């Protein structure tokens, strides 16, 4: 076995440390979550010396046969906010299920957080030392921010950035780098409120139009239509296996763990949903979609255009469509919540509000007809 310590240049000027492992004719890389920052002062130089020392220790353990030295419990996890931001951004950019908007928002938030830390003179703050005061201060910094291209951030943008910040710290909790997300310590009044936005759903007629469009992107089209009648997210459609479809006697159902929530969901399959199952291929997966989210998004734009639909159709539109159509059919919010796998019925409530808006528009149209 040959193990070489190498570095990878990152966009922010820092360098990621990783091991280049060559064994039995095969090469693989082990990223250490350690970084070398530009040596602008003595503190940065000290951080780099510590990072190199730890990297070489991990390399030695790996060579000696400890195959997962990175999972070893440390006496103290010393990760700076800068190091974690760099690592988290790298992961987001490599995650194929993530769309462009969250990628761009994460990069933007990371840069703004770095500016905030410079403003309060805590550029090298440890991740574990970023507490309630810093969390509250950063939200205030965002609300008052003025840049070269932006006079101030809109309420929608502030809410979206807050969502990205929370995700950054939630990931750190999952990695056991910190014990609690500091944003959980803030009250509802101290957080940004998310403005209410009604997103597009499809009518039954529009779903039929997509079903009739069979010129191209057949796997994406079938996956989307199947999701319209099951409510599955894109990640669950990607990971759906033939073994997840269980014969219950009188009907078939999907029984699987959701990728997002890790909760098991049971969704009975109606006869219409079964029409959109593709032919079984020589592997265990039901659908074979493009590797990246952008490929799915672009395919859906082509499909929607061919079907004559002018709405902004993304894959999640299928989930919203399933929710509103099912709620319209059964008028049971709790039942729909269970089918969607929501942990709280509050998450399902917005679909009832979408239905009410649609009904109001229909009534207004009828009024216009009567008044003409």
């Amino acid at each position: 076995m040959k193990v070489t310590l190498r570095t990878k240049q990152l966009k922010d000027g820092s360098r990621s440390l990783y091991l280049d492992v060559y064994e039995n004719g095969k090469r693989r890389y082990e990223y250490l979550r350690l970084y070398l920052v530009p040596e602008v002062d003595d503190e940065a130089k000290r951080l780099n010396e510590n990072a190199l020392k730890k990297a070489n220790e991990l390399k030695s353990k790996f060579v000696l046969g400890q195959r997962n030295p990175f999972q070893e419990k440390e006496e103290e996890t010393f990760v700076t906010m800068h190091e974690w931001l760099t690592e988290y951004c790298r992961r987001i950019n490599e995650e194929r299920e993530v769309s462009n908007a969250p990628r761009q928002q994460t990069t933007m938030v990371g840069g703004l957080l770095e500016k905030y830390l410079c403003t309060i003179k805590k550029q090298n703050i440890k991740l574990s030392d970023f507490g309630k005061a810093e969390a509250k201060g950063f939200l205030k910094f965002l609300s008052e921010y003025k840049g070269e291209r932006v006079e101030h951030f809109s309420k929608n943008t502030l809410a979206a950035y807050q969502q990205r910040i929370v995700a950054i710290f939630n990931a750190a909790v999952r990695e056991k780098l910190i014990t609690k997300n500091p944003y959980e310590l803030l009250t509802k009044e101290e957080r940004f409120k998310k403005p209410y936005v009604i997103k597009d759903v499809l009518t039954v007629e529009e779903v039929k139009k997509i079903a009739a469009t069979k010129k191209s992107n057949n796997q994406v089209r079938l996956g989307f239509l199947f999701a319209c009648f099951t409510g599955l997210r894109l990640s669950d459609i990607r990971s759906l296996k033939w073994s997840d479809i269980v014969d219950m006697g009188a009907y078939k159902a999907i029984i699987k763990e959701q990728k997002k929530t890790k909760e098991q969901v049971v969704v009975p399959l109606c006869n219409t949903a079964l029409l959109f199952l593709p032919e079984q291929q020589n592997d265990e997966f039901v659908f074979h979609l493009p590797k990246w989210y952008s490929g799915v998004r672009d395919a859906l734009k082509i499909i929607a255009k061919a079907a004559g639909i002018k709405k902004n159709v993304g894959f999640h539109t299928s989930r919203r469509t399933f929710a509103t159509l099912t709620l319209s059919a059964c008028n049971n919010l709790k039942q729909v919540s269970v089918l969607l796998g929501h942990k709280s019925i509050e998450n399902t409530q917005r679909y009832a509000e979408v239905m009410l808006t649609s009904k109001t528009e229909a009534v207004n149209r009828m009024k216009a007809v009567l008044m003409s």
Side-chain angles (χ1 to χ4, degrees), residues 175-222:
E175 290 284 324
K176 298 184 179 178
L177 299 175
I178 54 177
T179 57
K180 192 173 185 65
N181 187 331
Y183 283 89
E184 291 182 6
L185 303 174
L186 302 183
T187 64
K188 289 184 178 180
E189 290 71 26
E190 291 171 326
R191 288 187 173 206
F192 297 135
K193 293 181 180 179
K194 186 176 181 181
Y196 180 73
V197 179
I198 296 176
K199 296 186 178 181
D200 285 333
V201 298
L202 299 181
T203 63
V204 173
E205 290 72 21
E206 288 169 332
V207 172
K208 288 180 179 179
K209 287 180 180 179
I210 290 179
T213 305
K214 301 178 181 180
K215 292 183 179 179
S216 61
N217 307 298
N218 197 46
Q219 282 285 318
V220 173
R221 184 183 67 87
L222 290 176

Side-chain angles (χ1 to χ4, degrees), residues 279-296:
E279 292 184 9
Q280 189 165 356
Q281 298 186 22
N282 296 324
D283 64 359
E284 59 186 343
F285 293 100
V286 178
F287 295 97
H288 299 81
L289 306 182
K291 181 179 179 181
W292 295 96
Y293 174 82
S294 57
V296 176

Side-chain angles (χ1 to χ4, degrees), residues 61-189:
K61 291 178 180 179
F62 201 93
V63 172
L64 291 172
Q66 188 176 342
R67 309 310 291 271
N68 289 306
F70 323 111
Q71 296 178 2
E72 185 180 73
K73 186 177 180 180
E74 302 287 340
E75 292 182 4
E76 180 183 7
T77 303
F78 185 84
V79 178
T80 66
M81 191 72 236
H82 171 78
E83 289 172 334
W84 176 241
L85 282 174
T86 303
E87 171 64 12
Y88 183 81
C89 286
R90 179 188 70 79
R91 294 184 186 184
I92 284 293
N93 286 323
E94 291 180 357
E95 176 56 59
R96 66 184 188 180
E97 297 292 345
V98 178
S99 61
N100 288 334
R103 291 177 201 272
Q104 294 167 357
Q105 289 169 2
T106 300
T107 301
M108 185 67 177
V109 166
L112 289 168
L113 189 46
E114 297 274 16
K115 285 184 180 181
Y116 167 67
L117 294 176
C118 286
T119 302
I120 62 175
K121 295 180 169 49
K122 291 185 178 181
Q123 299 96 313
N124 298 313
I125 187 174
K126 289 198 298 183
L127 180 61
S128 57
D129 288 341
F130 193 99
K132 180 179 179 179
E134 288 77 18
K136 186 176 179 180
F138 183 46
L139 294 187
K140 185 173 185 293
F141 174 83
L142 289 178
S143 66
E144 299 174 351
Y145 182 79
K146 292 184 179 181
E148 295 179 2
R149 298 183 179 181
V150 60
E151 181 66 25
H152 60 83
F153 292 126
S154 68
K155 291 183 179 180
N156 279 326
T157 299
L158 290 173
Y161 284 179
Q162 179 177 256
Q163 186 178 5
R164 299 275 71 81
I165 301 161
V166 171
I168 289 170
F169 283 97
N170 279 342
V173 172
R174 290 194 297 272
E175 290 284 324
K176 298 184 179 178
L177 299 175
I178 54 177
T179 57
K180 192 173 185 65
N181 187 331
Y183 283 89
E184 291 182 6
L185 303 174
L186 302 183
T187 64
K188 289 184 178 180
E189 290 71 26

